[in-house]
Amino acid sequence: MQNPNTLWIKQPLATLSAAYAGGLVITGNRITELLPSGQSPSMSVDAVYDASQHVLLPGLINAHHHFYQTLTRAHPVALNKELFSWLTSLYPVWARLEPEMVEVSTQIALAELLLSGCSTASDHHYLFPQGLEGAIDIQVAQAQRLGVRVHLTRGSMSLGQEQGGLPPQSTVQSEDVIMADSERLILRHHDRTDGAMVRVALAPCSPFSVSTELMKMSARLAEQHDVQLHTHLAETHDETAFCQKMFGMRPVDYLESVGWLSNRVWLAHGIHFNEQEIGRLGQAGVGIAHCPSSNMLLASGQCPTLDLEAAGCPVGIGVDGSASNDGSNMIAEVRQALLLQRLRYGARKITHQKVLDWATRGSAACLGRDDIGDIAVGKQADLALFRLDDIQFAGAGDPLAALILCGAQRADRMMVAGRWRVIDGAVCALDIEALKARQRELAAQLIV
Ligand SMILES: [Zn+2]
């Protein structure tokens, strides 16, 4: 008897591995057969999709973002600044966020990610001014609407200026409020099952905006509910100086002192480590989300990716927030990783396959998952298909390399959990022009 809901993605133009050069078969939300070149499925299928014009990748996985920041791209107060002055300029603007702003900016970010090849997105939301208590619930609803797999982190700030921190007092919450809401969100939205579409993690924002007690409480709660932990760390020299002054130790020592040196943790940026710290992070299996555009734009530095990986850290790629990128284009970020990391490690070590591996298997490992990030039997059917007919590819030789070297911007088709979510370069069931118009109106309210 014929299997229901089977689809053969037939003979792609190029793939990451020869193991599926002839395509693959999907049954429901999973990959059920890989076909080497010239082979047909072992059983009859319900439908066939001709991928002969497409480069086929596992869906890309974005390991760090702040969706709400799509409202403050290129904001006038933040131009040409480095991290601390950039943040102190933007905190008062972000303190004015309203529920509809979170709803619309989340849709914008998710649509932009989908259109650039991303099937799983992590977000770090840490602003909960009065009236915005349901920010993460809003994000869950929007992710479900667009069909993107998400890891939403309950961010938090508890160290205001009055306690020696960087953010204004109006943007911080008490530890008790943060912990109660974190637990509520885990119980309500965290899906532990294989193939989960929504997972929740805990994410105190950074050493300079969070109390030591909150770091410790978050680690305990994460342990208790078996969820992951995320934060920004070792992004700038200013942060190292802050940690030394405030806590009398460097960022990694601080991380260890609050119980965070574990494989439950993945960090955004991870730039300013010494050799001994890299060894300790690797031994603990701490993941690192490399965010090349943000690191270049804020002049923060270069993540020592290969050293971290050699020490044992999973390395993934994140676009970071759209106020420090200022885009959410995942395939473009993969190219940025290649360019920036070549400056540090050279062209032979940093290949297009290497950076694609970071953006797929590496990011999946950062998020603690083995059911996504790869094209293999039993994995989730999360696929990104790119055509090479835009002008920047005219004359390109190797199709897979062309995707990165020529600067692909947009996927033609995206599948998440076996369902098409982008067809012919458009997000399914979304009026993108109306969405962009509303985002522009809401962003304008944050300029004045
Ligand atoms: Zn960030």
Side-chain angles (χ1 to χ4, degrees):
M1 194 181 129
Q2 186 171 292
N3 276 338
N5 307 316
T6 54
L7 171 68
W8 176 15
I9 308 280
K10 187 180 174 183
Q11 290 164 359
L13 174 65
T15 57
L16 266 177
S17 159
Y20 49 92
L24 51 98
V25 178
I26 289 152
T27 307
N29 62 355
R30 282 176 202 280
I31 297 166
T32 47
E33 189 173 7
L34 302 185
L35 304 167
S37 182
Q39 274 196 24
S40 299
S42 56
M43 295 167 75
S44 62
V45 292
D46 297 335
V48 177
Y49 181 74
D50 175 3
S52 59
Q53 301 300 309
H54 293 87
V55 177
L56 171 69
L57 299 178
L60 304 177
I61 300 173
N62 181 34
H64 182 66
H65 202 346
H66 311 281
F67 296 159
Y68 74 88
Q69 289 183 11
T70 58
L71 287 161
T72 56
R73 307 178 203 255
H75 195 287
V77 302
L79 300 178
N80 309 324
K81 291 179 176 170
E82 295 184 9
L83 183 68
F84 276 23
S85 54
W86 175 88
L87 277 171
T88 47
S89 302
L90 282 168
Y91 283 139
V93 178
W94 295 336
R96 290 157 52 204
L97 279 180
E98 293 172 4
E100 191 195 356
M101 292 176 177
V102 172
E103 178 183 325
V104 171
S105 60
T106 298
Q107 282 184 39
I108 285 279
L110 288 173
E112 200 180 348
L113 287 165
L114 261 182
L115 289 169
S116 60
C118 175
S119 52
T120 300
S122 171
D123 192 62
H124 187 177
H125 187 91
Y126 51 84
L127 288 152
F128 298 87
Q130 205 171 12
L132 202 59
E133 293 80 2
I136 306 279
D137 306 273
I138 293 171
Q139 292 188 316
V140 170
Q142 301 316 312
Q144 288 171 337
R145 182 176 161 187
L146 294 184
V148 184
R149 207 182 288 283
V150 284
H151 281 233
L152 299 172
T153 72
R154 203 295 181 186
S156 49
M157 300 201 290
S158 62
L159 197 70
Q161 283 163 354
E162 287 170 17
Q163 293 92 35
L166 206 62
Q169 218 59 29
S170 66
T171 60
V172 303
Q173 294 178 297
S174 74
E175 283 94 356
D176 289 345
V177 167
I178 293 165
M179 283 300 105
D181 193 49
S182 298
E183 188 158 41
R184 176 188 75 81
L185 289 165
I186 293 168
L187 296 175
R188 180 154 182 201
H189 299 298
H190 183 68
D191 180 355
R192 297 172 191 285
T193 61
D194 196 63
M197 293 297 289
V198 180
R199 284 198 180 155
V200 174
L202 305 184
C205 192
S206 61
F208 47 83
S209 57
V210 166
S211 61
T212 299
E213 192 49 31
L214 182 63
M215 291 295 283
K216 290 179 178 169
M217 291 166 93
S218 298
R220 282 197 293 271
L221 192 64
E223 183 91 20
Q224 188 188 330
H225 289 282
D226 191 21
V227 298
Q228 284 201 295
L229 288 163
H230 181 53
T231 191
H232 297 92
L233 202 89
E235 183 175 359
T236 64
H237 291 301
D238 284 347
E239 178 195 321
T240 308
F242 180 95
C243 287
Q244 277 171 326
K245 188 171 170 217
M246 187 86 176
F247 312 116
M249 55 185 111
R250 288 172 53 82
V252 172
D253 297 324
Y254 179 61
L255 203 68
E256 184 165 32
S257 76
V258 290
W260 275 57
L261 216 53
S262 95
N263 63 2
R264 194 184 289 291
V265 174
W266 88 105
L267 305 171
H269 307 297
I271 296 170
H272 301 287
F273 299 132
N274 62 33
E275 206 175 308
Q276 181 256 16
E277 290 165 344
I278 288 173
R280 285 157 64 202
L281 290 162
Q283 202 156 26
V286 173
I288 306 291
H290 174 38
C291 306
S293 294
S294 171
N295 297 162
M296 287 188 274
L297 197 126
L298 296 174
S300 303
Q302 295 175 14
C303 175
T305 50
L306 293 188
D307 295 84
L308 286 158
E309 215 170 37
C313 295
V315 171
I317 293 180
V319 299
D320 200 6
S322 295
S324 68
N325 182 314
D326 289 7
S328 308
N329 190 309
M330 191 62 199
I331 191 71
E333 201 64 24
V334 179
R335 181 172 199 263
Q336 294 283 51
L338 178 131
L339 296 177
L340 180 61
Q341 291 297 320
R342 276 195 176 179
L343 290 179
R344 190 177 188 105
Y345 294 108
R348 283 193 306 124
K349 288 183 177 167
I350 304 296
T351 63
H352 58 276
Q353 293 96 336
K354 180 73 194 163
V355 287
L356 284 168
D357 188 61
W358 283 340
T360 51
R361 286 193 307 148
S363 287
C366 284
L367 300 181
R369 295 188 75 141
D370 59 8
D371 57 340
I372 56 173
D374 198 3
I375 291 179
V377 170
K379 304 279 183 189
Q380 288 289 299
D382 290 5
L383 306 173
L385 289 84
F386 291 83
R387 293 178 68 96
L388 299 181
D389 39 15
D390 280 345
I391 194 164
Q392 75 263 37
F393 302 111
D398 182 316
L400 188 65
L403 205 59
I404 304 303
L405 300 181
C406 304
Q409 293 289 315
R410 198 155 177 153
D412 182 59
R413 284 209 168 220
M414 285 297 298
M415 177 178 278
V416 188
R419 293 183 62 182
W420 292 117
R421 296 300 186 176
V422 170
I423 293 178
D424 297 335
V427 178
C428 299
L430 181 70
D431 182 347
I432 204 146
E433 292 307 320
L435 177 63
K436 280 154 58 180
R438 187 62 186 143
Q439 168 94 342
R440 282 192 289 265
E441 288 169 0
L442 294 170
Q445 293 175 20
L446 294 176
I447 294 278
V448 289

